[in-house]
Amino acid sequence: MELTFLGTASAIPTRYRNHTAILVKVSNRMILIDCGEATQKQLMKAEISPMKIDDIYITHLHGDHILGLPGLIQSLAFRGRTRPLNIYGPKGICELIDHIKHLGYYTIGYELVTHEIIDDDVTIYQQNDFLVKARKMKHTVPDYAYKIEELRQPKFLRSKAIELGVPPGPLFGKLQAGNPVSVDGREIQPEEVLGPPRKGVKFVFSGDTIPQESMIDFAKDVDLLIHEATFTRDIREKATENGHTVAEDAARIAKDANVEQLILTHLSNRYTDSKPLVNEAREIFENTVYAKDLMTVIIENKKPVTIKKNK
C-alpha cells in the first residue's frame, strides 16, 4: 500500500502546505481521501494521473476538504473520462455533487456515483483483497474517519491437498477461493487445506475531530495512524471549541491503540514549523512525524512503515 500526502494544511493553505488530500494506491484501485483546493496541481507535482482515481472518500464537508472537487470533476470530463467515479461521504455529499454537476457550463461524459454514509460504524467497500471502513468522529459537522485494510488469503497447503487426494490443477484454485471440491466421492473443505488467517497491512485517517475514545478501538494495532493535530496543547481550549485535536492527545491515542507509526497532519497556519507539535507528541509516542506535502509512505507486510522524502 502506498500513500502520498497531497495537502497537509488546515483551514488556510500556506506557501508550503496545500489543503487536505491523500492519494492511496491499494491493490488494483487508486483512492483519494479528501480533495482540498488545488488538489489537481498537487497531483501534477506528484506525477500522478487523476484519470486513474477510482474512488474519492470525503471525511466532511468543510471547504478545505472539498473545494478541489469541482475542478477535478470538470477536468476529468475535459480529459475524456468514461468510467464511473465513486464518491463517498457523510450526509449532504449527494446534494453537493449534484450542485457541482450544474456549476458552470460543461458536460460530464462519465457517471458520478455518490454514496452517502449514514451509519456510525460501517464497512463501505470490500473486494477480495481489501476493505474500507468508516467510523463517525466528533467535529463541528458530521465527520468520518476511514480505515483501509488489506485482506490476505490464508496460505494454501499444497502438500496437504495432495495428501487428501486433490490433484494439482483447477481444484487447487477452487479450494484457495474458499470453495469445497469433490474428490472420489469425498468432499474436501477449504479449511482442510488452508493455513491460519494472515493479517494484512492497515491504516486509519482520522479526518477532523476532537479526541475520541472510539478512535483507539478503530485504530487498534494498525500499521499507520494519520491523525489530525491542528494545534499544540497550550491552546487545547481553542482546539476543542473548533472540533480539533492537539498533538499531545493524538499521540496518546496512538499509544493506547498500539499503532506502529503516527503521522500528524492538518497544521494550522499559525505555525511556520511543525516541530513544536512533533516534539509535544514524541513525549508520549516516539514514532511520530508531521506530514509534509508530497511525502510518500509505503506500508508492507512484516516491514516498518517507510517514509520517503517529498518530491
Side-chain angles (χ1 to χ4, degrees):
M1 198 183 304
E2 181 176 307
L3 295 76
T4 301
F5 287 86
L6 301 173
T8 58
S10 59
I12 301 174
T14 70
R15 181 179 298 180
Y16 305 105
R17 292 183 181 272
N18 203 67
H19 275 158
T20 300
I22 300 174
L23 197 285
V24 183
K25 297 176 184 177
V26 54
S27 184
N28 61 340
R29 298 189 80 80
M30 188 174 285
I31 295 168
L32 182 65
I33 302 179
D34 282 339
C35 188
E37 183 183 346
T39 292
Q40 287 189 86
K41 293 293 292 287
Q42 297 296 91
L43 285 165
M44 292 177 192
K45 291 178 182 178
E47 299 179 354
I48 298 170
S49 171
M51 294 288 279
K52 294 181 179 180
I53 295 172
D54 298 288
D55 314 292
I56 300 176
Y57 293 88
I58 299 297
T59 58
H60 65 292
L61 302 185
H62 275 153
D64 55 328
H65 296 255
I66 61 169
L67 288 178
L69 282 173
L72 178 62
I73 288 170
Q74 290 193 21
S75 289
L76 293 177
F78 295 150
R79 296 177 69 166
R81 185 183 179 107
T82 56
R83 63 191 181 95
L85 176 65
N86 293 288
I87 303 177
Y88 299 78
K91 183 178 180 181
I93 191 68
C94 294
E95 183 180 3
L96 172 67
I97 299 304
D98 188 59
H99 286 313
I100 290 174
K101 289 178 183 178
H102 300 94
L103 184 63
Y105 297 93
Y106 69 106
T107 301
I108 301 179
Y110 64 96
E111 185 180 7
L112 289 167
V113 185
T114 51
H115 308 262
E116 193 165 88
I117 307 169
I118 56 175
D119 296 317
D120 289 353
D121 191 6
V122 62
T123 297
I124 51 178
Y125 179 84
Q126 183 167 348
Q127 61 182 49
N128 66 335
D129 55 357
F130 82 93
L131 58 78
V132 182
K133 292 184 176 182
R135 178 169 291 189
K136 197 169 188 179
M137 291 289 111
K138 189 174 182 180
H139 191 40
T140 56
V141 298
D143 176 277
Y144 283 90
Y146 292 112
K147 179 193 290 184
I148 299 181
E149 179 177 351
E150 288 186 338
L151 303 173
R152 298 182 67 202
Q153 298 298 321
K155 184 178 180 181
F156 180 67
L157 306 177
R158 189 176 189 277
S159 60
K160 180 65 175 177
I162 293 173
E163 181 183 320
L164 292 171
V166 183
L171 295 184
F172 276 16
K174 289 183 179 180
L175 287 165
Q176 285 179 291
N179 300 310
V181 301
S182 181
V183 177
D184 297 329
R186 181 193 169 191
E187 191 172 76
I188 309 296
Q189 298 297 325
E191 54 266 28
E192 296 182 76
V193 295
L194 296 177
R198 295 191 289 180
K199 293 182 179 180
V201 300
K202 50 191 173 181
F203 87 94
V204 165
F205 176 56
S206 72
D208 288 8
T209 180
I210 62 172
Q212 292 290 289
E213 286 294 318
S214 64
M215 175 57 79
I216 297 171
D217 170 65
F218 194 52
K220 194 69 175 177
D221 298 327
V222 299
D223 300 271
L224 171 63
L225 171 60
I226 303 170
H227 203 290
E228 76 118 299
T230 309
F231 304 107
T232 47
R233 61 190 165 208
D234 56 304
I235 48 175
R236 181 181 273 110
E237 186 176 341
K238 176 180 175 62
T240 302
E241 180 183 339
N242 293 325
H244 291 299
T245 299
V246 302
E248 179 182 66
D249 292 339
R252 202 174 303 281
I253 288 170
K255 181 179 180 180
D256 291 346
N258 191 40
V259 309
E260 179 186 323
Q261 174 76 56
L262 172 64
I263 298 182
L264 305 176
T265 190
H266 204 258
L267 188 68
S268 167
N269 72 329
R270 71 167 51 213
Y271 304 101
T272 56
D273 192 334
S274 63
K275 285 182 181 178
L277 292 93
V278 173
N279 292 339
E280 178 177 303
R282 285 180 177 170
E283 293 175 14
I284 296 169
F285 190 79
E286 178 63 29
N287 205 14
T288 301
V289 299
Y290 212 102
K292 295 182 179 180
D293 283 22
L294 306 182
M295 185 175 86
T296 298
V297 178
I298 297 173
I299 314 173
E300 299 177 281
N301 280 302
K302 298 181 180 180
K303 292 184 179 181
V305 175
T306 303
I307 300 174
K308 295 184 176 181
K309 294 181 180 179
N310 52 321
K311 297 182 180 180

